[in-house]
């Protein structure tokens, strides 16, 4: 298939382009390079032997985005482009709603105009909010989101569902990612956080790289194995492979499916820290702090639907996720 990948030079998008190319698909990337850089295209070429066609276009610029649709006949779209910093979304909500909602609507309108029926959208486990029991199941529906970023994911899910009801030829898969971490085994692709990382593993990576003094562990009084928060970490390469299965599923079905992508297993902050210490070969300094506002104690996926509909099961374990993250971090310093 010829697939438009918005946000394709970003962290998850770049890994997904590699897996799409390796599966024989043709990839066209649209990205405004707000949170990524052009050299990612060379890295994709080094890994796959193919340099994807690239357009530096902001999805808010509908005229320029339409040029991309005029020049290419797409079979499908995977939509990653968006802002993703939770704290920032609280501070500048309108910017988040504009980029993640108005930008997405531009894209969906062009898909309708150019009759591109198949879509995979990057949603998040954040749409479950704190309303449900673990493991989170797709049938729970949408919970109460606690920040504008999460609300943009929930609104996109609602918009796509309504759009597909009105257009019965459409087929969309809404992937609810749990916590993507890790990097490509080549050490060439990974996550480069903008400023101080909010997420656990990018923060640990910066402590290990000497950019931060210690990890702040947000609370050790939760009702969990060791009192620290538990999450379902998934290797970004597993997540990328799930996108290949999801877009192929979309192309052979109709309607809207919501599918969790996680491992189904939870690890505490201290367990992740230990795995990272094993990967880098030394202790990593940390301090226990107060709980972070808005955090939930435990979050992990029910993965039955991904297995049943997509035949997807995550392969990498937490040690491999930390080893690959560490390798990428070491390469950044070179
Ligand atoms: P990322 O920031 O690395 O990638 C997003 C890409 O989109 C970047 O390359 C950025 O330059 C581009 N972009 C942003 N706004 C754009 C615009 N208006 N026009 C064109 N390009 C634009 O983020 P990521 O971690 O790869 O996440 C990809 C998607 O997955 C996002 O929608 C994110 O919200 C979602 N998601 C991420 C996580 C996570 O933990 N990383 C979890 C759940 C969902
Ligand atoms: C966060 C976001 C969520 C988003 C997800 C993936 C919040 C409240 N939630 O979720 O909306 O979908 O990232 O991008 O920001 N931790 C520490 N020290 C740190 C960082 C994290 O102890 O420096 C702990 C957290 O308290 C949590 C765990 O590590 O228990 C994972 O945190 P994080 O990586 O931020 O992911 P989420 O909390 O799942």
């Amino acid at each position: 298939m010829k697939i438009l990948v918005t946000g394709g030079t970003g962290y998850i998008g770049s890994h997904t382009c590699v897996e799409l190319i390796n599966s024989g698909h043709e990839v066209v990337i649209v990205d405004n390079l707000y949170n990524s850089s052009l050299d990612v295209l060379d890295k994709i070429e080094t890994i796959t032997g193919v340099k994807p066609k690239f357009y530096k276009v902001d999805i808010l610029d509908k005229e320029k985005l339409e040029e991309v649709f005029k020049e290419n006949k797409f079979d499908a779209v995977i939509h990653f482009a968006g802002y993703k910093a939770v704290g920032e979304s609280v501070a500048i909500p309108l910017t988040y709603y504009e980029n993640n909602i108005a930008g997405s609507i531009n894209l969906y309108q062009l898909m309708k105009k150019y009759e591109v029926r198949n879509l995979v959208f990057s949603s998040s486990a954040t749409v479950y909010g704190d309303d449900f029991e673990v493991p989170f199941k797709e049938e729970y529906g949408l919970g109460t989101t606690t920040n504008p970023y999460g609300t943009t994911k929930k609104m996109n899910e609602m918009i796509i569902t309504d759009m597909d009801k009105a257009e019965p030829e459409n087929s969309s898969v809404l992937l609810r990612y749990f916590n993507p971490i890790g990097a490509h085994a080549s050490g060439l692709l990974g996550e480069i956080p903008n400023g101080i990382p909010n997420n656990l593993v990018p923060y640990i990576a910066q402590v290990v790289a000497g950019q931060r003094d210690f990890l702040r562990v947000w609370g050790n009084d939760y009702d969990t194995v060791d009192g620290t928060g538990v999450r379902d970490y998934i290797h970004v390469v597993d997540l990328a492979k799930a996108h290949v299965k999801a877009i192929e599923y979309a192309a052979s079905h109709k309607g809207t499916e919501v599918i969790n992508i996680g491992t189904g297993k939870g690890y505490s902050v201290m367990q992740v820290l230990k795995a990272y210490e094993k990967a880098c070969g030394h202790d990593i300094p940390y301090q226990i702090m107060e709980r972070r506002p808005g955090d939930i104690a435990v979050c992990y996926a029910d993965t039955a639907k991904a297995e049943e509909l997509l035949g997807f099961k995550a392969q990498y374990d937490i040690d491999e996720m930390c080893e690959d993250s560490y390798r990428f971090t070491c390469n950044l310093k070179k």
Side-chain angles (χ1 to χ4, degrees):
M1 283 191 284
K2 184 164 182 172
I3 302 170
L4 169 63
V5 181
T6 74
T9 42
Y11 172 49
I12 305 169
S14 57
H15 287 84
T16 300
C17 288
V18 166
E19 298 305 325
L20 288 168
I21 293 167
N22 285 344
S23 303
H25 296 292
E26 185 183 347
V27 165
V28 176
I29 297 177
V30 160
D31 201 299
N32 64 356
L33 302 179
Y34 168 83
N35 197 32
S36 54
S37 58
L38 266 186
D39 64 349
V40 165
L41 298 172
D42 298 328
K43 290 172 179 170
I44 294 174
E45 186 180 17
T46 304
I47 296 167
T48 65
V50 177
K51 189 167 183 170
K53 192 166 172 185
F54 175 76
Y55 293 87
K56 184 175 184 298
V57 167
D58 192 314
I59 60 168
L60 285 170
D61 186 340
K62 199 172 174 188
E63 276 176 26
K64 278 205 182 141
L65 190 57
E66 179 151 13
E67 292 303 315
V68 179
F69 277 82
K70 275 187 193 153
E71 285 174 25
N72 299 276
K73 173 86 191 89
F74 296 117
D75 300 298
V77 174
I78 305 184
H79 179 31
F80 293 103
Y83 295 153
K84 61 166 184 176
V86 172
E88 188 181 67
S89 80
V90 176
I92 47 168
L94 290 179
T95 306
Y96 269 68
Y97 286 115
E98 183 183 34
N99 200 41
N100 293 7
I101 303 295
S104 297
I105 289 175
N106 282 344
L107 175 70
Y108 305 150
Q109 282 174 332
L110 289 169
M111 286 178 69
K112 179 171 155 65
K113 182 166 174 183
Y114 290 87
E115 296 182 344
V116 185
R117 301 288 187 186
N118 305 311
L119 171 69
V120 170
F121 173 71
S122 301
S123 189
S124 164
T126 195
V127 302
Y128 289 110
D130 198 5
D131 301 12
F132 309 111
E133 299 269 301
V134 286
F136 291 149
K137 298 183 201 305
E138 295 87 347
E139 70 210 38
Y140 289 163
L142 295 164
T144 314
T145 47
T146 53
N147 54 73
Y149 164 74
T151 308
T152 68
K153 293 296 173 195
K154 187 165 148 176
M155 288 169 74
N156 262 286
E157 286 204 12
M158 295 164 78
I159 290 166
I160 294 166
T161 305
D162 286 344
M163 186 172 93
D164 291 350
K165 270 188 206 144
E167 301 275 333
E169 289 301 304
N170 281 5
S171 177
S172 306
V173 177
L174 315 179
L175 294 182
R176 291 184 181 161
Y177 312 157
F178 280 67
N179 291 57
I181 62 169
H184 195 263
S186 62
L188 293 174
L189 299 173
E191 185 173 21
I192 305 173
N194 216 343
I196 303 173
N198 182 58
N199 296 122
L200 178 64
V201 170
Y203 202 100
I204 293 177
Q206 290 199 353
V207 175
V208 171
Q211 288 169 263
R212 317 256 162 228
D213 292 337
F214 57 88
L215 172 71
R216 299 164 302 171
V217 176
W218 302 125
N220 68 347
D221 56 352
Y222 288 107
D223 184 14
T224 63
V225 56
D226 55 21
T228 63
V230 167
R231 297 291 183 272
D232 183 340
Y233 297 94
I234 176 161
H235 197 297
V236 66
V237 171
D238 270 331
L239 179 58
K241 288 179 175 165
H243 285 77
V244 178
K245 290 184 181 281
I247 202 69
E248 289 172 353
Y249 178 90
S252 54
H253 292 78
K254 292 193 192 341
T256 319
E257 290 290 352
V258 172
I259 304 179
N260 289 336
I261 303 293
T263 64
K265 291 192 208 83
Y267 287 93
S268 74
V269 175
M270 295 312 292
Q271 288 170 332
V272 175
L273 191 71
K274 290 285 159 236
Y276 216 104
E277 286 179 341
K278 204 159 109 188
C280 70
H282 59 78
D283 287 354
I284 300 170
Y286 68 90
Q287 281 185 23
I288 306 293
M289 316 293 280
E290 292 294 309
R291 291 180 179 194
R292 180 172 68 176
D295 267 358
I296 57 176
V298 181
C299 171
Y300 59 92
D302 185 309
T303 58
K305 191 171 177 186
E307 250 185 278
E308 192 190 320
L309 292 194
L310 305 182
F312 171 77
K313 205 169 164 35
Q315 301 296 324
Y316 293 95
D317 64 24
I318 193 74
D319 288 337
E320 291 165 302
M321 297 181 215
C322 292
E323 282 159 22
D324 288 340
S325 164
Y326 179 59
R327 186 182 307 108
F328 179 69
T329 305
C330 293
N331 276 1
L332 277 182
K333 283 199 285 186
K334 282 179 195 157

